[in-house]
Amino acid sequence: MATIAKNRSGTWKAVIRKNGWPTTVKTFRIKRDAEDWARTVEDEMVRGAFIQRATADRMTLEIAMKRYLADVVPTKRPTSQVTDRKRSKSLVTHLGKYSLASLTPEIIANFRDMRLAGEDRKDAEGRPRPRTNDTVRLDLALLGHVFTVAIKEWGIGLPANPVRNIRRPALGAGRNRRLTQAEEDRLLAAVDRYSNPMMSWIVRIALYTGMRLSEITTLRRMQVDLARRIVRLVETKNTQPRTVPLSSSAVQIFREALNNPVRPIDTDLIFFGEPGRNGNRGPYRFDRMWQDIKRELGLKDFRFHDLRHEAVSRFVEAGFSDQEVSAISGHKSMQMLKRYTHLRAEDLVSRLDKIPMRK
């Protein structure tokens, strides 16, 4: 049986002691609430469904997020660490004062809707600036993982992960920005004119292989096998190593890059930058130059990642199967691959004529 006692402060304390269960204590303002809680907890203990919620009641999301950033985030890739720390700020700002136990699906759904409507961010004229579906999906993914880690690894007593019980925003349609032949000619001519040849090599490799920018700029010489015409990628976005086959054009670009006459002896990076304050060289950084070139060519709406879109679409247009394309590009799901693949209707016209038609 539970013991209900009145404190000197006028509140009521309920204490439950039951064999096989830890002593459970909770304080209430009125006696009836203490009695109702005690009956509920005792019933859960009898049914074997009791969960110790004391820690979840005390731990706020702000405290949980600090622990997550200290314990979990450092185990992730550097780029993921940066994005997680950035996303955590909005979660803490809007939900940080709630305890983990009090964060219900309804509260999280309201946070989702507020972000999608842009109610927490205004432009210069006071109009809402909505976030994209993908941005809010990633916010919720981070919040959901915090709850998962808290329940499975920290022993926080919660009946379920509340993020799993709300609707996620739909996936975006994906970008469909493709290079026209004229744009490609102008872009390649511009990067070829640039003083540092690494700019041209990086852009062409992205266009010929579909590799991500981070995968290209962190390449080391040992990863490239020109005799077998492959590149071995160890660190990828989805953490799965993969081997990328090289066309003859890609092989020629890598040969030029590997034979770079100004390569320093203190790094094995293929695309190297200047030494930092610690004396070590990091990957070549060309974002400012890339932006200048786009501005010069009038391609402000074109992103470097669109080169990957272009390459993957060309693989499909060349007749590669979905499985073959995903093996090259590293996409885990056909759904994501479809979002990155955009075929030009005019390129399919000639193939339509080959379909036999009944008369």
Side-chain angles (χ1 to χ4, degrees), residues 1 4 11 22 101 116 128 133-135 140 161 168 170 175 182 222-223 258 281 290 296 299 322 336 341 350 358-359:
M1 290 290 294
I4 310 295
T11 58
L116 289 172
N133 284 12
D134 288 342
T135 294
L140 296 176
N161 185 335
R168 304 292 182 93
R175 286 174 60 81
M222 67 181 70
Q223 295 176 248
L258 290 169
R281 292 181 182 272
W290 169 254
E296 173 191 341
L299 297 177
D322 289 346
M336 287 300 299
T341 306
S350 60
R358 294 180 180 180
K359 295 184 179 180

Side-chain angles (χ1 to χ4, degrees), residues 86-102:
K86 181 178 179 180
R87 293 189 185 283
S88 69
K89 294 179 180 179
S90 62
L91 292 170
V92 170
T93 297
H94 299 288
L95 304 175
K97 301 305 180 184
Y98 287 94
S99 71
L100 296 186
S102 65

Side-chain angles (χ1 to χ4, degrees), residues 111-162:
F111 167 77
R112 173 202 63 201
D113 296 341
M114 177 267 296
R115 295 277 285 172
L116 289 172
E119 296 173 359
D120 61 327
R121 185 176 63 166
K122 309 289 184 180
D123 62 17
E125 299 179 0
R127 295 172 298 190
R129 296 175 58 191
R131 270 73 171 188
T132 65
N133 284 12
D134 288 342
T135 294
V136 178
R137 282 179 63 87
L138 292 172
D139 289 342
L140 296 176
L142 176 58
L143 179 60
H145 195 235
V146 172
F147 272 100
T148 297
V149 172
I151 295 170
K152 292 184 176 180
E153 299 186 17
W154 301 345
I156 304 299
L158 290 169
N161 185 335

Side-chain angles (χ1 to χ4, degrees), residues 198 217 264 266-267 269 271-276 280-285:
M198 285 192 285
T217 56
D266 60 351
T267 183
L269 285 168
F271 306 106
F272 51 88
E274 295 298 323
N280 298 327
R281 292 181 182 272
Y284 176 59
R285 302 180 65 88

